[in-house]
Amino acid sequence: MKKLLSAAILASLATGAQAEDVTLQLKWVTQAQFAGYYVAKDKGFYEEEGLNVTIKPGGPDIAPEQVIAGGGADIITTWMPAALAARERGLPLVNIAQPFADGGLKFTCLKESGVTTTADFPGRTLGVWFFGNEYPFYAWMAKLGLATDGSEGGVTVLKQAFNVDALLQKQADCISVMSYNEYGQVIDAGIAEDQLVTFTYADEGVGVLEDGLYVLEDRLADPAFVETMAKFVRASMKGWKYAEANPDEAAQIIVDNDDSGAQRLEHQQYMMSEVAKLTAGSDGKLDPAAYEETVATLLAAVSPDNPAITKAPEGMAWTHAVTDLALE
């Protein structure tokens, strides 16, 4: 099958056939978190597959799930809890590839605050990201038996901005950080690692799959779309492996594609070195055990701000339809 697809792609390129347009909506702004896609575009990997890929950066006011629901993208990157929650609300998202084998979500606290273990959480103010990022936190608190409404013996939740100001300004005892981004920002602010106590969600038994690729399930009924997505996944994974092997070049590609001008090369190099740890070893296939852990975390994520997810999601039989074809 792979040889037939390759022959067809070469033939179409040789005859000048028009490339297939694909639009990818990112979960966040242009940064090394998405290096594989920018590298695949910059190095011509998408073009080799006969694809014309448009990469749309995200941001604090952009929900990828809403973008794809409105027809603004063919494929999105998002965290699985957000995708599965959207699915239960009636948007039939399906994971077609999982470049991130591990998660980078962490929780870091100033040691001077007195937090050294989870037993010190009661009475504390904890910074939490929302917009689908809050599910593992609420599952964790439920596992610890801690109320999240600020009542006695529980914790107070601070809806954290997507920065580290709440920790630096001591508005919160602990905040959410990504291993490849905000944690580095805390260190860059002059706080040494030995001044921090950091928890990893996966180590606490509430890990979730991050940064997967999702499409609308009904589109997978079209064999031509499945084939297009297989081309996209194959080129994207080639981009990820190139980025892992060439982190400094990948970081420069990110900076070159950042229209905002906000990204610094040094920070993108740090970010790429950390992101590579999360994508290493992944061939794009979804790990069933990691999926089950994510579902269990989501089912436990009861909070005042989010209705409980009441059942395990359906439709995951589709998850390998694209990667199986991409890897042939």
Side-chain angles (χ1 to χ4, degrees):
M1 176 64 78
K2 184 175 181 180
K3 291 180 179 179
L4 291 174
L5 287 176
S6 298
I9 293 165
L10 290 173
S12 67
L13 292 176
T15 57
Q18 185 174 356
E20 300 175 75
D21 292 329
V22 175
T23 299
L24 168 67
Q25 175 64 62
L26 302 179
K27 178 179 173 62
W28 195 240
V29 299
T30 301
Q31 57 184 23
Q33 178 182 358
F34 312 108
Y37 313 112
Y38 284 104
V39 167
K41 185 175 177 69
D42 186 84
K43 304 301 290 186
F45 300 155
Y46 290 133
E47 186 178 4
E48 290 171 4
E49 293 283 359
L51 302 178
N52 176 37
V53 175
T54 298
I55 303 175
K56 297 170 67 173
D61 300 319
I62 297 174
E65 298 80 8
Q66 293 178 6
V67 173
I68 197 170
D74 300 295
I75 185 168
I76 64 173
T77 66
T78 195
W79 288 13
M80 183 170 279
L84 295 183
R87 185 177 178 88
E88 179 155 297
R89 293 193 299 268
L91 183 65
L93 290 175
V94 175
N95 178 297
I96 62 165
Q98 188 60 47
F100 276 49
D102 294 304
L105 182 61
K106 295 178 180 290
F107 207 59
T108 197
C109 316
L110 287 173
K111 191 176 292 185
E112 68 181 46
S113 71
V115 175
T116 57
T117 72
T118 57
D120 299 315
F121 282 166
R124 305 291 181 168
T125 297
L126 309 179
V128 182
W129 289 323
F130 280 73
F131 301 101
N133 302 316
E134 70 274 21
Y135 295 110
F137 170 80
Y138 282 113
W140 189 17
M141 294 302 106
K143 183 177 180 180
L144 294 173
L146 296 177
T148 56
D149 57 2
S151 58
E152 186 175 356
V155 302
T156 298
V157 173
L158 173 70
K159 289 190 176 181
Q160 180 186 333
F162 289 94
N163 55 45
V164 299
D165 291 351
L167 190 74
L168 300 182
Q169 297 170 9
K170 300 185 179 179
Q171 298 167 341
D173 299 289
C174 310
I175 63 168
S176 304
V177 296
M178 300 306 297
S179 62
Y180 51 77
N181 193 0
E182 290 80 13
Y183 186 77
Q185 292 178 26
V186 173
I187 302 302
D188 287 345
I191 299 175
E193 290 194 68
D194 61 7
Q195 295 177 287
L196 298 169
V197 175
T198 302
F199 304 88
T200 300
Y201 276 81
D203 293 343
E204 299 299 325
V206 286
V208 297
L209 285 167
E210 302 166 2
D211 289 78
L213 291 171
Y214 293 82
V215 301
L216 294 175
E217 183 175 346
D218 57 1
R219 296 199 68 184
L220 292 175
D222 178 3
F225 181 75
V226 172
E227 184 175 315
T228 297
M229 289 298 98
K231 296 174 186 176
F232 177 84
V233 169
R234 184 163 48 242
S236 297
M237 293 309 300
K238 187 175 180 180
W240 276 116
K241 297 311 159 186
Y242 188 97
E244 289 172 18
N246 303 276
D248 288 345
E249 182 182 353
Q252 185 62 61
I253 288 171
I254 290 296
V255 172
D256 292 343
N257 280 275
D258 173 36
D259 292 336
S260 74
Q263 302 298 0
R264 296 180 295 106
L265 179 59
E266 294 80 4
H267 186 63
Q268 291 309 304
Q269 289 172 329
Y270 163 80
M271 185 179 286
M272 187 63 241
S273 68
E274 294 297 318
V275 167
K277 298 174 184 177
L278 307 180
T279 59
S282 172
D283 62 1
K285 276 198 172 185
L286 178 67
D287 175 19
Y291 163 68
E292 295 295 342
E293 181 182 8
T294 300
V295 170
T297 295
L298 191 57
L299 292 172
V302 182
S303 79
D305 303 283
N306 298 285
I309 301 301
T310 58
K311 62 182 183 299
E314 301 173 353
M316 298 308 291
W318 285 105
T319 54
H320 288 165
V322 170
T323 46
D324 282 346
L325 182 58
L327 294 170
E328 283 184 1

